[in-house]
Amino acid sequence: MNGEKDLAELRQKYYGLFVNLLWKEPDVEFLKSLLDGISERIKGASGLSSSISEGWKKIQIYLEKNVPEDVEFEFVQLFLGPQKPEILPYESYYFAGSVFQAPLASVRSFMKDIGLVKNEGELPEPEDTLGFELEIMNWLITKQKKSEDSEEEKMWLDYQESFLKEHLLVWGPTCCDDIESASKSDFYKGVGMLLKGFLEIENELFKNRSSKKIDSLEEVRMRYGNIKDWKG
């Protein structure tokens, strides 16, 4: 994988896409821009991932039939409330059953190791929310692309592998399934499919890079107390 800057560019574009869709309510102009070239993206993805291709199709159908302002309402219903949201997109919730638990401390420890600091004034969501974890990967790929030699690039790829295998790839796919199947999910059904297909590709890219394996979500839940009342 070392030196594959074109691949890094493509991966970062997708991470940037997901950050825009899942960090907060998406910008209307950004949503409108998704229709530009979407047929080509669907066609290009068809031989790579059926989930990505189908996800783009659902997004296209939604945006051609609805005004993009409706997505903000759906985002709020799914992820924010006003009562308990249908989806709790936090690593702590998926690992330990509630938010602001030990998994959040683990994410913060990783951020400290790589020198990433959450800016003051950013959204108040904790660092183990799905949107922020996607931004961590986005940041790591930026560092990889700026590497001055293969040794430095390898270091940033090692960090990407660690974060994916210890965090995002453990709970992200299940969260995607929950987003896709949520009763209030319409536009975000496509987003859930798109992200799940992308994470499957990320898994393939990194799974044989080292001997480090990805624990199942069930194994991780056991470590955090084997709590039974899971949504995801």
Side-chain angles (χ1 to χ4, degrees), residues 33-50:
S33 74
L34 294 181
L35 286 174
D36 296 337
I38 197 168
S39 296
E40 288 75 16
R41 288 197 294 278
I42 292 169
K43 184 178 179 181
S46 61
L48 183 66
S49 165
S50 59

Side-chain angles (χ1 to χ4, degrees), residues 179-194:
I179 292 170
E180 186 184 344
S181 62
S183 63
K184 295 181 176 68
S185 181
D186 191 353
F187 172 81
Y188 276 93
K189 286 186 188 298
V191 176
M193 293 181 70
L194 197 64

Side-chain angles (χ1 to χ4, degrees), residues 2 10 17 48 82 108 122 124 131 155 215:
N2 290 0
L10 178 61
L17 167 74
L48 183 66
R108 287 173 172 169
E122 284 185 326
M155 178 185 73
D215 288 339

Side-chain angles (χ1 to χ4, degrees), residues 128-197:
D128 68 339
T129 190
L130 181 60
F132 197 88
E133 291 203 0
L134 293 162
E135 175 57 24
I136 290 173
M137 285 299 301
N138 190 36
W139 187 88
L140 287 169
I141 296 172
T142 296
K143 289 292 190 180
Q144 175 197 347
K145 288 165 61 178
K146 292 180 178 178
S147 298
E148 296 184 359
D149 53 47
S150 60
E151 185 176 343
E152 184 182 357
E153 184 178 20
K154 179 182 181 301
M155 178 185 73
W156 291 113
L157 283 164
D158 288 345
Y159 278 130
Q160 290 175 45
E161 179 184 5
S162 293
F163 192 73
L164 285 167
K165 291 183 175 181
E166 295 173 16
H167 298 278
L168 189 55
L169 288 180
V170 180
W171 71 283
T174 301
C175 186
C176 290
D177 288 340
D178 292 341
I179 292 170
E180 186 184 344
S181 62
S183 63
K184 295 181 176 68
S185 181
D186 191 353
F187 172 81
Y188 276 93
K189 286 186 188 298
V191 176
M193 293 181 70
L194 197 64
L195 179 55
K196 186 173 183 181

